[in-house]
Amino acid sequence: MTRGLRRGEVGRQEWSDVDLDDARTLSVLEDEDAEAAAGIKGDSSRRVVMLGAENVRLLRAWRQMQRVERLAMGEGWTDSGKVFTDELGLALDLDCLTYRWKRLVRASGLPPVRLHDLRHCAATLTLGGGVEDVIV
């Protein structure tokens, strides 16, 4: 939400492309299969995203939750390698992700906000933080 990833980029993100220790980055769409599946728009879709301290903390907590789910599921767990999975380790269904987002927004009582609007919000906040337009 804070780094401007597209829905497909979130759904296809792999742990092997995330560095929570040294560089604190995630690499987006580094392989050709992911690019074709996501229907990337151009070379700028391939990028390295810097993670803030809160991003790192939340991703570490999520990884720990996945480990707990993997242990609980035993042989029923699928090691998809994806960052965001369901309780069985399977990659998220992107339409389900959108549906769940809509439910959360409705339950919050906030005005309608599309999942994609978070991408624009992240860009606006980044610009407000002083990052140059060309970088954003």
Side-chain angles (χ1 to χ4, degrees):
M1 291 172 50
T2 63
R3 294 302 182 237
L5 299 178
R6 294 177 179 94
R7 180 182 80 150
E9 293 169 346
V10 170
R12 290 177 183 84
Q13 190 64 48
E14 298 194 10
W15 280 117
S16 61
D17 294 327
V18 178
D19 180 349
L20 298 178
D21 299 316
D22 299 321
R24 294 182 169 213
T25 60
L26 64 85
S27 299
V28 178
L29 299 173
E30 288 210 326
D31 65 73
E32 292 178 17
D33 292 337
E35 292 171 6
I40 70 165
K41 296 181 178 186
D43 288 341
S44 64
S45 293
R46 285 183 224 91
R47 63 200 186 281
V48 175
V49 177
M50 301 300 294
L51 299 172
E54 185 67 3
N55 298 123
V56 171
R57 185 189 72 74
L58 290 168
L59 284 168
R60 283 184 177 147
W62 176 247
R63 186 168 51 189
Q64 181 58 33
M65 181 178 288
Q66 278 185 329
R67 288 177 180 142
V68 169
E69 289 175 341
R70 183 182 66 226
L71 289 172
M73 290 305 300
E75 291 189 24
W77 175 264
T78 299
D79 188 7
S80 65
K82 302 294 185 197
V83 173
F84 299 105
T85 61
D86 64 14
E87 63 278 358
L88 301 175
L90 299 169
L92 291 177
D93 176 282
L94 297 181
D95 290 332
C96 182
L97 179 63
T98 298
Y99 173 75
R100 291 174 90 186
W101 173 255
K102 288 178 182 179
R103 265 192 2 213
L104 288 170
V105 169
R106 265 194 308 269
S108 74
L110 294 171
V113 177
R114 298 173 307 145
L115 188 57
H116 188 75
D117 293 337
L118 298 177
R119 181 171 166 76
H120 297 279
C121 181
T124 300
L125 292 172
T126 303
L127 289 169
V131 177
E132 296 179 39
D133 295 9
V134 69
I135 302 296
V136 176

